[in-house]
Amino acid sequence: MSKQIIFDYEGNTYTLEYTRKSVKRMESRGFVFSEIETKPVTRMPELFAGAFLAHHSGIKQEIIDKIYNGFDEKEDLIGALIEMYADTIGTLMENPEKNGISWVKSW
């Protein structure tokens, strides 16, 4: 099971999570993970907003912004989101089914 952040806001429970599909949507919208440090004002809120795509894709950006601005300890929040995102990227190298397909270098 992937990592999640669960919280309540104005009577609604939200689950933040990244999946391969949601990360792909983020990237297609221009999100570049390596720019977190060089463009934090842009990329950190995008990282936060992207975590809504897996379970709350219909939520308005205005609400996401209000939620983000209301969070305490944003540094810890962003750290947790970075870890969750990296874990999702790491799943690209996993092969839980072990299909038996192997390969050999030919050079």
Side-chain angles (χ1 to χ4, degrees):
M1 181 176 168
S2 63
K3 296 177 183 176
Q4 299 177 332
I5 294 174
I6 301 170
F7 65 93
D8 292 319
Y9 177 77
E10 293 189 350
N12 295 307
T13 300
Y14 294 93
T15 302
L16 303 185
E17 181 178 12
Y18 299 107
T19 63
R20 290 181 186 181
K21 184 177 179 180
S22 64
V23 167
K24 186 174 182 176
R25 284 183 64 190
M26 291 171 66
E27 290 175 351
S28 71
R29 294 176 178 179
F31 180 76
V32 179
F33 183 72
S34 63
E35 294 179 347
I36 289 282
E37 290 185 24
T38 59
K39 296 181 179 181
V41 173
T42 302
R43 299 305 182 209
M44 286 182 188
E46 289 177 351
L47 180 69
F48 181 73
F52 283 84
L53 293 173
H55 298 284
H56 312 283
S57 61
I59 189 170
K60 294 180 181 179
Q61 185 63 45
E62 176 184 335
I63 302 299
I64 293 172
D65 293 342
K66 284 182 183 179
I67 293 170
Y68 181 73
N69 292 330
F71 264 105
D72 294 329
E73 302 175 13
K74 281 190 186 66
E75 187 173 334
D76 291 339
L77 173 65
I78 294 299
L81 292 172
I82 288 171
E83 181 180 331
M84 291 165 54
Y85 189 96
D87 285 353
T88 301
I89 299 304
T91 67
L92 293 172
M93 298 301 173
E94 296 175 356
N95 186 7
E97 296 179 18
K98 303 290 184 203
N99 296 335
I101 301 171
S102 60
W103 59 276
V104 178
K105 286 186 191 180
S106 64
W107 66 93

